[in-house]
């Protein structure tokens, strides 16, 4: 799987070098709510942040491709009852996450604001994990994969500089926890985020 991700990134970078006039790149960050699915608990709000780099390749007026490489804080905060008492537990996970995006652009070249719809897979590698401030990285699988969908808009700030904003929902599709005698539940990552990126374009379109 790691080789597949690297091949996809190399493909995007190669196309970017060949047709640099269609590329935008820059810094990206996001914030929102993150959670871990667990049918035995009720999910509480947990603030999430990401930060990193973003690149978009679009040689067509109405569609393009993008990839981000971000440091992503994830996990979940949940409440459950034991003997009539409410217990709150917090799990913090940190990933290097690589969302890949197929983007559909609405409107026309030159429009000051262009709405967009996007979707694609998201891959991640775990670097840190703690539950209630105790190191629990050994309880989690190092690789995660999910699917994400979002909508938003790109706005021209000035010549060749775009402000990209979008709201995305990401749902994990593989178990993030290791299966043991004490844990036979399937736990999946999920998050809802507002994403913001300031991108420099190599084309005036």
């Amino acid at each position: 799987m790691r080789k597949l991700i690297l091949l996809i990134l190399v493909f995007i970078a190669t196309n970017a070098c060949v047709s640099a006039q269609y590329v935008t790149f820059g810094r990206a960050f996001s914030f929102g709510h993150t959670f871990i699915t667990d049918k035995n608990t009720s999910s509480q709000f947990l603030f999430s942040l990401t930060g990193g780099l973003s690149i978009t390749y679009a040689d067509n007026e109405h569609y393009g491709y993008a990839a981000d490489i971000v440091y992503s804080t994830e996990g979940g905060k949940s409440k459950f009852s034991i003997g009539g008492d409410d217990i709150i537990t917090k799990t913090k996970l940190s990933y290097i996450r690589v969302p890949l995006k197929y983007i559909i652009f609405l409107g026309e070249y030159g429009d000051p604001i262009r709405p967009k719809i996007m979707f694609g897979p998201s891959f991640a590698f775990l670097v840190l994990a703690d539950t209630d401030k105790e190191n629990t990285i050994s309880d989690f699988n190092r690789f995660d994969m999910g699917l994400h969908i979002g909508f938003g808009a790109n706005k021209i700030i000035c010549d060749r500089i775009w402000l990209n904003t979008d709201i995305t929902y990401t749902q994990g599709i593989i178990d993030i926890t290791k299966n043991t005698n004490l844990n036979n539940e399937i736990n999946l990552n999920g998050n809802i985020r507002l994403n913001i990126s300031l991108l420099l374009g190599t084309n005036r379109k």
Side-chain angles (χ1 to χ4, degrees), residues 18-32:
V18 172
S19 302
Q21 67 269 29
Y22 303 119
V23 174
T24 57
F25 58 91
R27 295 181 180 180
F29 73 93
S30 69
F31 58 90

Side-chain angles (χ1 to χ4, degrees), residues 15-125:
N15 278 276
C17 293
V18 172
S19 302
Q21 67 269 29
Y22 303 119
V23 174
T24 57
F25 58 91
R27 295 181 180 180
F29 73 93
S30 69
F31 58 90
H33 167 54
T34 184
F35 59 90
I36 298 174
T37 60
D38 188 335
K39 65 181 180 181
N40 296 319
T41 66
S42 61
S43 179
Q44 308 288 301
F45 178 80
L46 183 61
F47 188 67
S48 169
L49 283 172
T50 73
L53 301 175
S54 180
I55 184 170
T56 300
Y57 171 75
D59 63 351
N60 183 281
E61 185 175 10
H62 292 296
Y63 67 84
Y65 307 91
D68 299 342
I69 301 178
V70 296
Y71 183 85
S72 175
T73 62
E74 303 181 29
K77 182 179 180 181
S78 57
K79 181 173 70 173
F80 58 96
S81 296
I82 297 180
D85 295 327
D86 289 336
I87 306 297
I88 294 178
T89 184
K90 184 188 297 184
T91 297
K92 295 183 178 180
L93 306 175
S94 297
Y95 290 93
I96 300 298
R97 184 167 287 278
V98 182
L100 305 177
K101 310 169 189 178
Y102 178 77
I103 306 174
I104 301 172
F105 295 102
L106 307 177
E108 308 295 333
Y109 277 142
D111 290 349
I113 297 178
R114 297 195 68 193
K116 62 183 178 181
I117 302 169
M118 69 192 73
F119 56 89
S122 181
F123 307 96
F125 304 95

Side-chain angles (χ1 to χ4, degrees), residues 29-33 101 116-119 148-154 164-170 191-197:
F29 73 93
S30 69
F31 58 90
H33 167 54
K101 310 169 189 178
K116 62 183 178 181
I117 302 169
M118 69 192 73
F119 56 89
H148 65 98
I149 185 170
F151 64 92
N154 296 356
N164 293 358
T165 59
D166 55 76
I167 296 174
T168 57
Y169 172 72
T170 303
N191 61 71
I192 301 172
R193 290 195 177 114
L194 172 63
N195 306 280
I196 301 172
S197 57

Side-chain angles (χ1 to χ4, degrees), residues 110-159:
D111 290 349
I113 297 178
R114 297 195 68 193
K116 62 183 178 181
I117 302 169
M118 69 192 73
F119 56 89
S122 181
F123 307 96
F125 304 95
L126 183 66
V127 292
L128 294 172
D130 72 71
T131 301
D132 297 330
K133 298 184 179 181
E134 293 187 7
N135 187 342
T136 53
I137 195 168
S138 60
D139 296 334
F140 294 89
N141 294 314
R142 294 301 181 97
F143 177 75
D144 184 41
M145 181 171 66
L147 300 172
H148 65 98
I149 185 170
F151 64 92
N154 296 356
K155 176 178 174 55
I156 296 178
I157 301 299
C158 58
D159 183 30

Side-chain angles (χ1 to χ4, degrees), residues 1-11:
M1 186 60 70
R2 294 185 184 183
K3 291 182 179 180
L4 175 60
I5 296 172
L6 290 174
L7 286 173
I8 293 172
L9 292 176
V10 168
F11 174 78

